[in-house]
Amino acid sequence: MSRAKEKPEGAPRYAMTIDLDKCTGCGACMVACAVENNVPPAQSGANDRNGTTLMRVYAMSNKQAYPHAKQVFVPMTCQQCEDPPCETVCPQNAVEYDWTTGIVAQIPVRCLGCRYCMVACPYHARAFNWWDPTWPEGMEATLNPDISTRSRGTAEKCNFCHHRRQLARERAAHEDREMREDEYQPACVEACPVGAITFGNLEDPNSAVSKGFAKPEAFAFVEKLGTEPKIRYLSSQKWVHDMARSGVPGKEATNG
Amino acid sequence: MIVTRRHILKLLGGGAVGTIFSPIPWKLLRDSSVWTQNWSWLPVPQRGPVGSAYSACTLCPSGCGLKVRTIGGRPVLVNGISNTAWGKGGLCPAGTAIHQMPWHPGQLRSVKMRQADGRFMEAKLDVALAAVAAAIKGANGTVAILDGRPGRLISGAYREFLAGKGMIVQPPSVARSSMKVLRSLFKEDPGPLAIDVDQVKAVVSFAASVLENFGQPGLLQQSPKKIRTIQFEAIQSRTALKADQWVPIKPGTEREIALGLANLLLKKGYAANWDEEDRTALEKICAEWTPSKVFATSGVDEATLTSVANTMEIGSTVVVAGPDAVGGPLAIEAEASIQTLNLLLGSVGQAIKPVKIAADDPAFAAIDAVETKDLADVPAKSIEVLIIDMAMAGYALPWNLLADKLAPKALVVSLTPVLDDLAQHSQVVIPTALPFTTVQDIPGHPDFLRSVRMAQAFGAPADDALDPVDFLNRLGKILGINRDVTAADSLSELIEKQAEVLVNAKEGVVLQPKKDPADFDDIDEADELLKRFKRGACFVAAFGQIDTALKFSFDSLGKISDETKKHDFRMQLILTGGVERASLASRSPILSKVDQESGLNPFADGAHVNPETIANLALLPKKRWVVNTPEGSIRVQIRPDPTVPPGVILMSGAPNGPKPWDVANPVELASPGQKSWRIIPAVIKEA
Amino acid sequence: MDKTAISRGLQRAPLGQFLLWLGPWIALLAFGVYCAYLCLRYGLHLTNMDNRFAFGAWIFLDLTVIALGAGAFFTGFLLYILKRKELRAVINSAVTIGFICYSGAVVILMVDVGQPLRAWFTFWHPNVHSMLTEVTFCITCYLGVLAFEYIPILLKNRKLRQIPSFLVFEFNMHKVMYVLAGAGTFLSFFHQGSLGGLYGVLNGRPFVYRESFGIWPTTFFLFIVSAAAAGPSFILLTTWITSKVTKKRLVTQEVYESLGKISGYILIGYVLFKTIDTLVWISMTAPGMGVHPDSFFASKPGYTALHLLEVTIFGFLPMAIYMTKRLRSQIKWLVTAAVLTCLGIVVNRYILTIQTLALPTLPFDELLSYMPSWQETGAFLMVIAYGMIVYSLSFRYANLFPLERELQRN
């Protein structure tokens, strides 16, 4: 189900391209995301399965041996699907596709913490706050006032740093003009040291993102699920494209 | 009307139903959703006026520039500064969280001195200084300062302090940097050399982390023109993954490959305009390294070697090696052989140039007045007093390499903000300020540019944190040592002095964020330069001309310096991980996102060994094994990993577990007898 | 000592002995409450659930007990709507068990969700597209229905019925029992189905996604049928266990056989439906989502065996036993078949809740494992203990088995 038909006139649809040829797997995007969104450092006992990582970089290998082994690093975040599986399943309507931006919004104050949305999401984009957030003493001074801290018991996910869009639009409004597209960039896009992440408006055919989507080396993960994600990955390596089609490692994807 | 129970029930029932249709549930919904989100124990971000400031990162030698978003003067976000010559605005993960450092939970809050029973106790600064002064006064052996990051103003102060009576010890990763070794190949010292990245079209790298995550991330990737990279490396590091070509090599064969390439380049006439003597000397050394011999030694086949040689263009190709943040430098003869290629490529004078240092720059004071040595070349057991300043080094240094040089009752003093692994072995630990709490001068990476930035303070240092200049002043007062060029009450004063010198020298350019570069016609006063520094400016020294004769000495290419004793350690332990593994103590706890909450540290879970190797050694799957080296052992779990070269044990060179100052550190397996710990001879045995 | 509270003509153990029986269950209840308290006070990180295993042991066990507690609605339906009079012998027990199962499940859910104080938001912001909304509404309403059905059973206690208003209330309840039974059936039909629908609609998980009839995936219907099959079997099992523990005859053989036969007939439908559904999934649904079903467990081939077992040993076998008259006349075969049927429910719910989340959905995922922590286990044991206590008290003081008095006399 594509929502393009129902969106208001002139409204943007934000999307991302991530270049896997460039990504070095450094994790600067992960750190920048945590800093921007007031995500606390790992608690004792936290690991890669219960940590809050709204942006997370995975390593994907071609499963071959030395010296033919190859690897790419895949920054994975909420894919902002056009047909989000998490939206239909939330019992409290706490997840909503925002027609004015294309971002899948989460209402944290309404979230019950049932975690059904996390079961529904195939991209592991969602994290649950298993702990109350705590920072080392005094480090709360570095918290970003544009985002609240979340108590335990709610689910959360990337929302393309939507608060930055609010701020950019307010600033523009103060100056009596429209917000320019480049004034709104999520933290991860800014932080990537090699410029692997591009962000922009899919409704603008001249944006870098629109051009990226059209490239032959662009692909989405597990496209056959029909969620219509708005993140495209770029890779010049064929094995990466082949692997990305199937959700299960080790077996060639069927053509259905 | 008599009110009966029925009436009351009707009232209650009707009231209940009616409430559902009133606004009360909505209000309750709104209120309860807010207070279930705002329990009293949850931190509330403080508001305040939004501002921005500039600073520089102090966590590693790259010294990337930072733009800091502040709320009420408190730092909440940092970004890199682009469009400066120093990097393209990329920040590594550690730098991205540097603004949280002032609240690092490991911050040392008092001076510590080790008691007779071996435990650290809190001590008064005066007592500690008296002990250090007494040790210096009564020293029969060497008094040394281990400076992890020369080129800072404090480095000049250290030299003035020790002038004539002590030694500056350089960690091997500093002493054997690519440009230092290149410089040593000249018969006449051309002065400090640096790579001009704008002139580079191709990079041939021997295991250098040029495309890596840390230390100037994105420097090559964000370059306006495409820079081709060829990586010779035994393991498939991230640079090898991203390079245009990865050439797998047998571990430890960099020298042979370099000489093989040199052989081919000589045959192509690349040394045609050299002195006959030099060319003949080099030809003699390279003659035996024919492509087939190179193949037999290193596994690099003839076709690959030839094709790489053919892509190496005069003037625009640069060859780099240099120290690994965890594995340290290559042996001198390997590095020298590699740098010889730069001489053949004529890079010196084109893509590699000398930098002009201002004559009175306090950072370079007393260079000739103090003996400076590579730690590896210091005689064993000769140091009686050692002051360690490795807090901003960004390189790992195995303690036992240091320990080997210490006299039996040596006093070791560490100047550091957190109790890192070298401080753990010291007798006296004096806290210095954490990053972002004090003003500091930040020189850039010496291999690329001579530059100066200023790091600002966004909060106060711990009460007991000592300014290093103050440390030298107090010590000097007790010992009667006065400094001249670097006389000052604090580092800030020295920075002002340096600004004065730079403005008077009128050499170089001042790069500014979002503005055109300024030169010293615009900036004619020290105060103006300081003002620009505070607004994110970066002073960049001018490149000079190569005016020494292009005459070389190839003695250091000679035979292997490390003695290869016969031993049973037939496998090769390689420690990996980059800067992020070398300086765990100096990173914000938020880095646990990468370290603990993702799988991006794949080699921290044990010793990765190719299943072929395991089969060869007839190892059965068992829970615990021991990696034995000539220096010691470490217990590990074996992880069969077919991506690791056969015969190699690949481990993360970092302390295990989330605490950065855990003692079980594989880097400590480096043997003091070896000048290079890139490859540690090892073998795997049952626990 | 409490003889006056025990129904006339029924024999019960001395009070001391009864308290000795209750003792360990009360201790277990206390421990379980403590575990639940820990989770509420300190946070759900005390469980071994995580972002990949967002649903864990609690949801698995919840789904299982709700399916087993389906005996309440189904027996009611059979008795009051289809007029199967012999089931009057077990209807009280069935309702009690149903009440225990549902109230226990709701208590665990309140611990399982991160923000239990917001649980009622679903009623104010219902998402009509979500199966979980449907589950919430129906289970809440059905718990109410069960309460209304259970209270009269308690009120019929010898002491309590001496209070006139209770007697009047109970009598009035009895008049609307058919309405309650109908409402219960309707609600149960939907929530049993929606619990299955929870998984069948997940278009991000090829392992559980199924084709739909209208808006309802096949798992919706499969869950209803399996619950209907398990309900009578569980009643059979619990009745038999109770009679063994109390050493009394509680129902006639005819009742057992009737329960068995009903379960058997439904199992025929279930096995057939499930087989067809699985074949369609293997050949059409999963490949259409880009996954070959045989690759799900390529790294752990033993796991597919569980799917086969569910339909054969835990589906076809008990069905065969139930439908064979000769075997049906022997209580030991009936109980065996009942145990197998109930285990089939457990296996089915396990596959859907635990295995689904263990499986990769992205090419760089691994097959994960999960084991509940002691706090999770303890909290669930709280429900078991609660159930034993409530049932024991109900058996002692209320008349759960109307035939007991008659059978005792003979």
Side-chain angles (χ1 to χ4, degrees):
Chain A
M1 186 211 335
S2 177
R3 293 184 188 259
K5 291 195 280 289
E6 297 166 20
K7 118 186 131 49
E9 192 67 42
R13 246 180 345 132
Y14 291 109
M16 246 186 207
T17 61
I18 303 183
D19 192 337
L20 300 185
D21 287 342
K22 288 188 178 162
C23 176
T24 58
C26 71
C29 52
M30 294 175 65
V31 175
C33 172
V35 164
E36 178 73 20
N37 290 290
N38 294 341
V39 175
Q43 304 270 3
S44 147
N47 55 36
D48 66 318
R49 277 167 61 170
N50 57 20
T52 304
T53 47
L54 305 179
M55 164 64 97
R56 175 163 165 198
V57 181
Y58 291 88
M60 184 163 91
S61 86
N62 67 352
K63 309 240 186 280
Q64 306 227 12
Y66 172 90
H68 306 291
K70 281 205 217 286
Q71 209 180 33
V72 285
F73 297 100
V74 185
M76 205 73 188
T77 183
C78 173
Q79 307 280 298
Q80 311 290 354
C81 305
E82 289 285 274
D83 186 10
C86 58
E87 187 190 15
T88 44
V89 301
C90 176
Q92 325 224 106
N93 272 330
V95 181
E96 194 181 13
Y97 179 94
D98 178 3
W99 293 354
T100 61
T101 56
I103 297 175
V104 180
Q106 172 107 12
I107 307 172
V109 292
R110 199 187 286 171
C111 176
L112 157 69
C114 71
R115 305 187 296 282
Y116 191 19
C117 57
M118 296 171 64
V119 171
C121 177
Y123 301 103
H124 316 313
R126 288 170 161 280
F128 186 74
N129 286 298
W130 300 98
W131 284 268
D132 270 320
T134 46
W135 278 265
E137 195 186 322
M139 208 182 270
E140 299 92 354
T142 64
L143 289 177
N144 180 3
D146 301 324
I147 284 220
S148 62
T149 53
R150 279 83 61 199
S151 70
R152 62 179 154 92
T154 53
E156 58 185 58
K157 67 171 191 68
C158 161
N159 62 1
F160 275 176
C161 287
H162 184 256
H163 58 279
R164 285 188 168 201
R165 180 167 190 261
Q166 307 280 57
L167 284 175
R169 293 177 81 211
E170 274 173 29
R171 227 176 290 133
H174 268 288
E175 293 167 18
D176 230 349
R177 58 173 176 87
E178 292 292 314
M179 178 190 88
R180 287 190 318 269
E181 287 304 334
D182 65 314
E183 284 183 303
Y184 163 42
Q185 297 258 288
C188 55
V189 180
E190 268 186 356
C192 178
V194 297
I197 311 181
T198 316
F199 176 81
N201 179 8
L202 215 48
E203 294 297 316
D204 173 8
N206 294 321
S207 68
V209 146
S210 295
K211 294 195 181 132
F213 268 53
K215 287 189 180 155
E217 58 263 32
F219 68 93
F221 277 90
V222 289
E223 226 162 342
K224 275 222 147 72
L225 294 180
T227 53
E228 297 180 43
K230 289 207 291 292
I231 297 192
R232 289 288 182 274
Y233 293 85
L234 305 172
S235 173
S236 58
Q237 301 184 72
K238 182 173 181 299
W239 68 269
V240 174
H241 287 247
D242 290 341
M243 278 197 90
R245 260 182 245 125
S246 165
V248 180
K251 192 82 180 206
E252 274 295 309
T254 64
N255 287 319
Chain B
M1 176 177 105
I2 305 170
V3 175
T4 64
R5 236 190 335 216
R6 184 169 290 219
H7 289 120
I8 296 175
L9 280 172
K10 267 195 190 165
L11 178 69
L12 287 174
V17 173
T19 309
I20 294 175
F21 292 98
S22 75
I24 292 176
W26 296 101
K27 179 93 174 80
L28 189 62
L29 196 140
R30 191 166 31 237
D31 286 351
S32 63
S33 64
V34 169
W35 57 255
T36 50
Q37 175 95 339
N38 288 300
W39 303 111
S40 59
W41 59 85
L42 294 178
V44 178
Q46 295 301 308
R47 297 190 174 275
V50 178
S52 71
Y54 290 91
S55 189
C57 182
T58 58
L59 298 180
C60 94
S62 297
C64 301
L66 304 172
K67 179 151 184 225
V68 185
R69 178 172 186 239
T70 59
I71 303 281
R74 291 167 280 113
V76 298
L77 185 75
V78 298
N79 286 114
I81 303 176
S82 64
N83 86 354
T84 60
W86 198 220
K88 303 286 184 279
L91 263 192
C92 76
T96 306
I98 190 177
H99 64 290
Q100 296 179 337
M101 287 302 286
W103 297 276
H104 195 290
Q107 187 180 143
L108 282 169
R109 298 204 176 270
S110 69
V111 174
K112 293 200 192 299
M113 290 183 71
R114 200 181 290 279
Q115 305 298 303
D117 62 359
R119 285 184 306 149
F120 271 128
M121 295 287 278
E122 275 188 31
K124 286 237 156 36
L125 179 63
D126 298 331
V127 173
L129 287 174
V132 177
I136 292 176
K137 229 186 274 190
N140 287 326
T142 313
V143 173
I145 296 182
L146 178 66
D147 182 358
R149 192 138 154 217
R152 297 174 292 163
L153 287 167
I154 194 65
S155 310
Y158 288 148
R159 276 194 294 272
E160 273 209 307
F161 181 80
L162 287 179
K165 39 179 138 7
M167 179 196 295
I168 295 287
V169 175
Q170 293 190 331
S173 302
V174 169
R176 272 175 263 158
S177 76
S178 285
M179 291 298 107
K180 277 232 177 65
V181 171
L182 175 59
R183 186 175 160 181
S184 70
L185 291 175
F186 283 75
K187 276 216 173 77
E188 259 175 63
D189 187 1
L193 295 173
I195 300 173
D196 184 358
V197 180
D198 293 335
Q199 308 287 332
V200 176
K201 285 207 198 120
V203 173
V204 174
S205 155
F206 286 80
S209 52
V210 289
L211 295 175
E212 205 80 12
N213 338 338
F214 293 82
Q216 284 272 279
L219 177 65
L220 298 188
Q221 291 97 322
Q222 302 260 47
S223 175
K225 24 178 216 304
K226 158 102 177 113
I227 298 180
R228 188 174 151 72
T229 46
I230 300 173
Q231 180 85 339
F232 286 95
E233 192 164 11
I235 59 171
Q236 194 177 46
S237 67
R238 289 177 194 205
T239 300
L241 264 175
K242 298 289 143 188
D244 294 296
Q245 183 182 3
W246 170 47
V247 182
I249 68 176
K250 284 202 192 123
T253 58
E254 291 87 358
R255 173 179 174 265
E256 291 71 34
I257 296 167
L259 292 177
L261 281 171
N263 197 7
L264 290 172
L265 293 182
L266 281 167
K267 290 203 167 65
K268 281 167 68 155
Y270 276 36
N273 56 352
W274 282 14
D275 255 28
E276 174 108 28
E277 212 183 304
D278 290 340
R279 187 173 59 246
T280 320
L282 187 59
E283 276 169 354
K284 212 159 143 210
I285 296 174
C286 298
E288 65 173 301
W289 296 106
T290 58
S292 57
K293 184 149 187 220
V294 171
F295 172 59
T297 318
S298 72
V300 178
D301 62 59
E302 180 162 352
T304 310
L305 197 71
T306 318
S307 82
V308 171
N310 286 340
T311 65
M312 292 167 82
E313 289 177 6
I314 291 198
S316 60
T317 302
V318 160
V319 182
V320 293
D324 180 73
V326 170
L330 294 168
I332 188 83
E333 57 278 358
E335 185 74 52
S337 306
I338 292 165
Q339 292 310 317
T340 305
L341 293 168
N342 276 324
L343 297 177
L344 283 166
L345 289 167
S347 310
V348 183
Q350 304 223 34
I352 299 177
K353 300 190 181 88
V355 284
K356 292 190 187 174
I357 310 283
D360 291 332
D361 193 336
F364 294 90
I367 283 194
D368 297 323
V370 190
E371 194 182 1
T372 303
K373 259 196 154 74
D374 179 344
L375 174 67
D377 294 333
V378 172
K381 306 212 186 321
S382 59
I383 301 179
E384 274 220 30
V385 181
L386 180 66
I387 299 173
I388 299 179
D389 179 356
M390 288 280 286
M392 297 213 292
Y395 293 112
L397 179 62
W399 168 256
N400 47 355
L401 255 75
L402 258 177
D404 188 50
K405 313 295 179 188
L406 296 174
K409 291 230 168 57
L411 179 75
V412 181
V413 185
S414 255
L415 301 171
T416 173
V418 300
L419 203 67
D420 60 17
D421 47 351
L422 291 178
Q424 297 256 3
H425 294 282
S426 307
Q427 275 78 42
V428 178
V429 182
I430 296 180
T432 52
L434 276 166
F436 261 49
T437 59
T438 183
V439 173
Q440 269 178 325
D441 65 305
I442 309 293
H445 196 294
D447 274 5
F448 291 94
L449 286 169
R450 162 66 190 154
S451 70
V452 180
R453 271 193 221 273
M454 199 160 124
Q456 308 283 1
F458 293 88
D463 288 335
D464 277 12
L466 197 59
D467 183 320
V469 171
D470 192 14
F471 166 73
L472 289 179
N473 288 350
R474 292 192 198 218
L475 212 52
K477 197 149 164 229
I478 306 175
L479 295 166
I481 298 175
N482 292 318
R483 303 188 317 278
D484 194 20
V485 179
T486 61
D489 285 333
S490 67
L491 197 53
S492 298
E493 259 192 56
L494 268 187
I495 293 174
E496 285 165 27
K497 257 196 180 168
Q498 185 183 49
E500 189 86 45
V501 166
L502 294 176
V503 164
N504 290 335
K506 289 191 179 322
E507 288 262 26
V509 79
V510 176
L511 302 176
Q512 304 171 107
K514 294 202 165 64
K515 287 204 196 97
D516 289 332
D519 61 23
F520 289 97
D521 291 334
D522 304 331
I523 305 174
D524 52 6
E525 275 188 25
D527 277 342
E528 181 58 33
L529 181 60
L530 288 169
K531 236 195 274 184
R532 307 263 181 137
F533 274 153
K534 289 190 181 116
R535 283 193 239 129
C538 173
F539 163 78
V540 176
F543 282 118
Q545 304 280 46
I546 188 81
D547 58 359
T548 60
L550 288 174
K551 289 188 64 61
F552 315 117
S553 158
F554 299 116
D555 294 339
S556 49
L557 272 67
K559 56 180 172 23
I560 309 298
S561 58
D562 273 336
E563 292 176 15
T564 42
K565 300 193 193 83
K566 278 227 171 340
H567 53 60
D568 281 327
F569 299 91
R570 282 172 292 125
M571 294 184 72
Q572 292 151 321
L573 171 63
I574 297 180
L575 298 174
T576 180
V579 170
E580 73 259 44
R581 298 293 125 214
S583 50
L584 282 183
S586 55
R587 286 133 45 93
S588 163
I590 199 68
L591 270 288
S592 55
K593 295 289 140 201
V594 179
D595 296 336
Q596 201 177 324
E597 294 180 329
S598 81
L600 285 181
N601 183 14
F603 301 109
D605 63 348
H608 286 238
V609 183
N610 194 307
E612 250 178 66
T613 316
I614 296 180
N616 285 345
L617 297 178
L619 290 174
L620 297 166
K622 254 178 89 102
K623 265 279 169 175
R624 283 273 178 189
W625 297 87
V626 171
V627 170
N628 275 339
T629 70
E631 195 51 31
S633 306
I634 191 166
R635 298 183 61 177
V636 294
Q637 289 199 359
I638 298 286
R639 305 285 179 200
D641 185 346
T643 66
V644 173
V648 166
I649 306 167
L650 196 53
M651 283 178 69
S652 172
N656 295 317
K659 273 210 300 263
W661 41 89
D662 213 292
V663 175
N665 184 350
V667 174
E668 310 261 341
L669 292 173
S671 165
Q674 277 178 280
K675 297 250 173 100
S676 164
W677 65 95
R678 270 307 170 88
I679 295 164
I680 301 173
V683 80
I684 296 178
K685 290 217 154 72
E686 289 179 32
Chain C
M1 208 165 79
D2 56 346
K3 217 157 175 354
T4 49
I6 297 172
S7 297
R8 245 187 285 270
L10 292 179
Q11 224 187 17
R12 293 286 179 260
L15 184 62
Q17 195 179 341
F18 180 64
L19 287 173
L20 222 59
W21 157 258
L22 271 191
W25 297 115
I26 293 175
L28 190 59
L29 181 72
F31 171 66
V33 168
Y34 172 66
C35 291
Y37 159 76
L38 285 177
C39 292
L40 288 169
R41 167 83 175 81
Y42 292 107
L44 287 170
H45 64 274
L46 292 177
T47 68
N48 278 344
M49 290 188 284
D50 51 50
N51 296 333
R52 300 290 297 277
F53 269 101
F55 286 166
W58 285 337
I59 296 290
F60 158 52
L61 292 167
D62 267 357
L63 259 61
T64 307
V65 302
I66 286 179
L68 294 175
F73 93 85
F74 200 52
T75 313
F77 169 71
L78 291 165
L79 173 60
Y80 294 113
I81 313 291
L82 294 190
K83 312 279 189 227
R84 296 293 296 256
K85 294 277 196 298
E86 73 278 13
L87 294 178
R88 200 178 287 280
V90 289
I91 184 64
N92 288 348
S93 173
V95 165
T96 308
I97 288 175
F99 176 76
I100 290 166
C101 287
Y102 277 81
S103 55
V106 169
V107 166
I108 282 292
L109 273 174
M110 287 303 104
V111 183
D112 197 4
V113 297
Q115 293 271 9
L117 294 168
R118 295 183 188 170
W120 62 280
F121 288 12
T122 312
F123 297 101
W124 244 258
H125 287 288
N127 179 359
V128 297
H129 300 294
S130 169
M131 286 283 171
L132 199 52
T133 308
E134 209 285 322
V135 167
T136 310
F137 272 87
C138 283
I139 286 193
T140 316
C141 296
Y142 186 58
L143 191 56
V145 167
L146 274 173
F148 274 118
E149 290 184 345
Y150 178 62
I151 288 171
I153 297 174
L154 287 181
L155 293 182
K156 278 221 193 92
N157 169 271
R158 190 169 149 191
K159 265 259 175 306
L160 289 176
R161 63 198 291 187
Q162 290 170 6
I163 302 167
S165 50
F166 282 177
L167 204 56
V168 168
F169 177 69
E170 185 265 311
F171 181 70
N172 284 324
M173 282 286 97
H174 202 72
K175 282 199 283 189
V176 300
M177 200 49 79
Y178 297 90
V179 175
L180 286 177
T185 306
F186 174 78
L187 290 170
S188 282
F189 181 88
F190 271 102
H191 74 245
Q192 292 289 352
S194 295
L195 284 171
L198 282 185
Y199 288 92
V201 294
L202 296 178
N203 63 318
R205 301 229 175 224
F207 183 67
V208 282
Y209 184 74
R210 296 288 187 275
E211 308 295 338
S212 303
F213 293 106
I215 57 168
W216 300 291
T218 55
T219 46
F220 182 94
F221 303 102
L222 283 168
F223 261 53
I224 297 172
V225 177
S226 63
S233 287
F234 194 59
I235 303 292
L236 199 167
L237 195 57
T238 51
T239 307
W240 180 78
I241 291 174
T242 311
S243 78
K244 275 274 172 283
V245 168
T246 57
K247 299 193 187 55
K248 295 175 173 57
R249 277 192 72 199
L250 299 170
V251 293
T252 57
Q253 177 71 6
E254 187 207 356
V255 174
Y256 283 132
E257 287 186 27
S258 175
L259 287 168
K261 199 156 157 200
I262 294 164
S263 204
Y265 272 120
I266 299 174
L267 274 173
I268 296 173
Y270 180 70
V271 170
L272 204 62
F273 193 0
K274 177 89 183 169
T275 309
I276 297 171
D277 176 64
T278 307
L279 290 172
V280 169
W281 171 66
I282 290 174
S283 60
M284 194 176 94
T285 318
M289 297 171 90
V291 182
H292 243 299
D294 52 342
S295 63
F296 279 124
F297 291 114
S299 58
K300 288 246 186 328
Y303 287 24
T304 29
L306 213 53
H307 292 243
L308 212 58
L309 281 181
E310 187 209 332
V311 183
T312 54
I313 307 290
F314 300 118
F316 186 83
L317 184 57
M319 175 200 90
I321 295 172
Y322 278 141
M323 299 315 289
T324 311
K325 198 166 165 68
R326 191 175 54 84
L327 296 175
R328 209 163 56 228
S329 61
Q330 297 174 55
I331 190 66
K332 67 168 191 265
W333 283 111
L334 281 174
V335 171
T336 308
V339 168
L340 290 174
T341 310
C342 294
L343 282 178
I345 291 289
V346 174
V347 169
N348 175 261
R349 289 351 183 217
Y350 172 83
I351 289 172
L352 236 50
T353 53
I354 306 295
Q355 280 197 344
T356 305
L357 294 174
L359 286 169
T361 54
L362 291 173
F364 40 80
D365 286 346
E366 290 170 347
L367 191 65
L368 300 171
S369 68
Y370 160 80
M371 189 60 83
S373 67
W374 64 266
Q375 295 93 333
E376 271 178 285
T377 316
F380 193 73
L381 290 176
M382 166 182 79
V383 173
I384 306 283
Y386 156 78
M388 293 306 280
I389 293 170
V390 170
Y391 194 78
S392 302
L393 288 170
S394 303
F395 180 78
R396 187 176 176 79
Y397 296 116
N399 191 5
L400 287 189
F401 297 98
L403 289 182
E404 187 193 349
R405 194 179 286 127
E406 201 184 297
L407 291 167
Q408 201 180 252
R409 265 183 267 148
N410 300 347

